[in-house]
Amino acid sequence: MPPSCCGYLSQYTHHHLVAFLLTFFSYVLLHASRKTFSNVKVSISAQWTPSIQNDSAPAFSPGETWQDNRLFEDEKQATLFLGALDSIFLFSYAVGLYLSGVIGDRVNLRYVLCFGLCGSAAVEFVFGTLTEWLHIYNIYLYCALWVLNGLLQSAVWPCVVAVMGNWFGKTGRGFVFGLWSACASVGNILGAFLASSVLKYGYEYAFLVTSVVQFCGGVVVFFGLLTSPKEVGLSSESETGLGPVETDTDSHRPLMSDEEDEVEVEVEVHARRYQSVQQPDEPLAEPPQAIGFLQAFCLPGVLPYSLAYACLKLVNYSFFFWLPFYLSNNYGWKEAEADRLSVWYDVGGIIGGTVQGLISDFMGKRAPVLAVSLALAMGALVGYSHSPNDQLINAVLLAVTGFFIGGPSNMISSAISADLGRQEALRGSQEALATVTGIVDGTGSIGAAGGQYLVSLIESKLGWMCVFYFFVVMTGGSIVFIAPLLLKELRAMWRDRRALRRQL
C-alpha cells in the first residue's frame, strides 16, 4: 500500500468504521435475501410443475394435471418464467435506481436507505413465504410483487455508495471501496448458506429467514447510521485530512447517540444562535445544490462506464441468478451442494475487487486495470465452460472467473462511481454522488435485465455452451466501451513518464 494510503488510513476515526460497517452489512443483508431466489429456483420450479400427469384422460393430458396449484406443464416453461421474473426484477430495479439516486441527493440518505431495506424485506416475505403458507399461486401476483421488490431494493445501493463517498475521500478510495464492495459477494455467500441450511424444510423458510434478518438490519441502520462527517463536526479539508467543521443542525443525527455528544451539539447550537444575534448581517453559507439528472448523465466518463457496466453486469448477474441452477441441472449435483459450490465465484469477486482496487490506487488509474482484467475474464469464461464434472476443479475455475469478472464489476459500481460523483466538473455542486451512482447502476441493471431472459432463451434453444459464448461477447463489449477512457489514461501515463524523465 502506498504511503499516502497509509497516512490516510491513520486519520480514520471510529465514526468512519461505524459508517463502513453499517453500509457494508446493510447491503450484505439485501444481497443475501436477493440471492435466496436464485438458490431455491430448483425447488420453486418443482413446486410450479406437475409431479403426476393426468394420463388417464387423454383429452385433457398433458395440459391438465391432478394438482390445481401447478402453474406450468413442464420444467422448461417454469424455467422461462423464472428468467422472466429475473428480467422483471432488474428492469424495475433499473428504473428505481434512476429515481432513487435523484431522491437520495435531496432527502436524508438514512431515511431512503431504511425504507428500501425494510420495505423489500416485507415484499420478499409475502412473495416467498406467505404465498406458500396460504397456497396462493398466481403468475400476475408474483410479477407484481417482484416489480415492487425491484423498486424498493433500488433505494439501497445509491444511498450506501453516497454515504461511503461522504466519509472516504479519493486518496486510497480504490482499496477502501474495493474492500467495501465485497458486501455484495459476502451477501451472496451468506444467502447461499442460509438458504441451504433451511431448504430441507421448504423454500418458504429460506425466504422467511433472510427477510426477517434484513428487516432487523434496516432497523439497526435507521438508529445507528451517520450519513456524513458533518453530523459529528468533521469534514474533509483535503484529500487525506479531516478537520472540524461547523454544523448547521443536528436534525439528521440518528436516534442512537452518546449523551456527551448530545450535550456538545446543544452547546454548539446555542453558541451559534448567540453569534447570529450579535452579527445579524453575516451571510449564511448555502448548502450545496443537487445536480440534475441530465447534467449528471453528461458528466465526463458517466456514459462510457454506464454502458460498459451494462455488459458486465449482464454477465455478473447471470452467474448470480443462474449459477446454482446450472450446477444442479448440468452436473446433477444436489441443490444444497450447488448452492455451497456457487459461493466460490463470490470469493473470487471479493479478492478481485480488493486487489484490483489496490493496484488502481498504486497506478492512479482505473481503466487499464479494468481492461486487463476483462481481457483475462474472456479466457476464464471459455475455460469454465469446459469444466469437468469435478467439484474441486469447478470451484477453482469459479474462483478465477469471479476474480476477473466480479472484481471489475465491484470497481465500476463503487470506487469508479464515487470518482465520477466527486470529479472536478462538480465544483459548484457536491450533491451528485447518489445520482451518478444511480445512473451507472441503473444502466447496468437494464443490460442485466435483458440478459436474464436471453440466458433462459439461449439455454432452452442452444444449450449452456452457447450461453458462455454469449458471456464472452458481452465481456468484450465492456472493453470496447471503456476503450476511449483507456486510451486517454494511457496517454496521461505516458506524458507523466516523459515529464519525469526530463526532470531526471
Side-chain angles (χ1 to χ4, degrees), residues 350-361:
I350 293 172
I351 300 173
T354 305
V355 172
Q356 292 172 35
L358 183 59
I359 293 174
S360 70
D361 281 341

Side-chain angles (χ1 to χ4, degrees), residues 234-257:
L234 296 174
S235 178
S236 296
E237 289 186 341
S238 64
E239 291 297 333
T240 60
L242 289 171
V245 67
E246 291 186 356
T247 54
D248 294 333
T249 137
D250 61 340
S251 60
H252 296 308
R253 291 173 61 85
L255 300 183
M256 278 186 186
S257 62

Side-chain angles (χ1 to χ4, degrees), residues 25-361:
F25 282 106
S26 63
Y27 205 70
V28 164
L29 298 179
L30 186 80
H31 243 262
S33 61
R34 190 185 299 177
K35 181 68 173 175
T36 300
F37 180 64
S38 63
N39 285 334
V40 300
K41 276 184 175 178
V42 174
S43 297
I44 293 178
S45 178
Q47 182 71 4
W48 289 351
T49 53
S51 56
I52 302 176
Q53 294 290 339
N54 190 5
D55 295 328
S56 60
F60 298 99
S61 179
E64 298 290 335
T65 62
W66 291 112
Q67 296 88 0
D68 293 333
N69 61 349
R70 307 306 182 184
L71 297 176
F72 305 101
E73 296 180 2
D74 53 41
E75 184 180 327
K76 284 190 175 181
Q77 290 186 10
T79 301
L80 286 173
F81 181 67
L82 290 172
L85 279 179
D86 290 337
S87 295
I88 287 171
F89 170 82
L90 286 172
F91 271 122
S92 61
Y93 183 71
V95 173
L97 282 168
Y98 289 129
L99 298 175
S100 61
V102 175
I103 294 172
D105 282 330
R106 291 161 172 79
V107 182
N108 192 319
L109 291 169
R110 182 161 52 92
Y111 298 158
V112 181
L113 173 58
C114 297
F115 178 77
L117 283 172
C118 295
S120 171
V123 171
E124 288 169 353
F125 170 76
V126 174
F127 177 91
T129 304
L130 194 60
T131 55
E132 181 63 25
W133 283 352
L134 300 179
H135 302 291
I136 300 174
Y137 304 95
N138 186 279
I139 292 176
Y140 301 106
L141 176 62
Y142 288 136
C143 291
L145 288 172
W146 232 222
V147 168
L148 181 58
N149 187 36
L151 292 174
L152 289 168
Q153 288 203 14
S154 68
V156 177
W157 184 251
C159 292
V160 293
V161 173
V163 172
M164 285 291 294
N166 290 339
W167 280 98
F168 297 91
K170 185 175 181 180
T171 303
R173 181 179 286 160
F175 172 72
V176 173
F177 274 74
L179 185 64
W180 175 84
S181 64
C183 55
S185 297
V186 173
N188 295 342
I189 295 172
L190 177 63
F193 278 106
L194 287 177
S196 61
S197 63
V198 298
L199 194 56
K200 58 184 176 182
Y201 303 109
Y203 73 83
E204 64 270 23
Y205 290 98
F207 282 101
L208 174 65
V209 171
T210 53
S211 61
V212 169
V213 172
Q214 179 182 323
F215 189 91
C216 295
V219 174
V220 172
V221 168
F222 179 79
F223 287 104
L225 180 64
L226 292 165
T227 61
S228 171
K230 294 181 180 179
E231 297 181 14
V232 288
L234 296 174
S235 178
S236 296
E237 289 186 341
S238 64
E239 291 297 333
T240 60
L242 289 171
V245 67
E246 291 186 356
T247 54
D248 294 333
T249 137
D250 61 340
S251 60
H252 296 308
R253 291 173 61 85
L255 300 183
M256 278 186 186
S257 62
D258 297 332
E259 293 182 0
E260 294 181 358
D261 293 339
E262 293 177 355
V263 172
E264 291 175 2
V265 171
E266 186 176 355
V267 170
E268 291 175 4
V269 169
H270 285 296
R272 286 194 298 275
R273 288 176 179 172
Y274 177 78
Q275 291 174 1
S276 64
V277 172
Q278 296 296 322
Q279 301 174 351
D281 297 331
E282 184 178 347
L284 298 176
E286 295 184 0
Q289 298 296 318
I291 194 172
F293 179 84
L294 293 178
Q295 290 176 290
F297 210 97
C298 295
L299 287 173
V302 171
L303 182 59
Y305 275 120
S306 297
L307 295 175
Y309 193 50
C311 296
L312 185 57
K313 192 169 185 177
L314 184 153
V315 180
N316 196 41
Y317 263 55
S318 295
F319 274 88
F320 172 79
F321 282 118
W322 290 102
L323 184 55
F325 187 85
Y326 165 75
L327 294 174
S328 181
N329 279 27
N330 194 59
Y331 296 104
W333 296 331
K334 294 181 179 179
E335 190 174 15
E337 293 177 344
D339 289 344
R340 295 189 183 99
L341 187 64
S342 67
V343 305
W344 287 104
Y345 177 82
D346 297 298
V347 171
I350 293 172
I351 300 173
T354 305
V355 172
Q356 292 172 35
L358 183 59
I359 293 174
S360 70
D361 281 341

Side-chain angles (χ1 to χ4, degrees), residues 476-504:
S478 297
I479 300 177
V480 171
F481 284 122
I482 67 170
L485 300 173
L486 173 63
L487 294 176
K488 181 180 179 180
E489 292 190 5
L490 289 177
R491 284 197 297 267
M493 292 173 63
W494 177 253
R495 287 195 300 266
D496 292 343
R497 179 170 294 183
R498 290 183 61 184
L500 182 60
R501 287 179 178 176
R502 290 174 182 174
Q503 292 177 0
L504 296 176

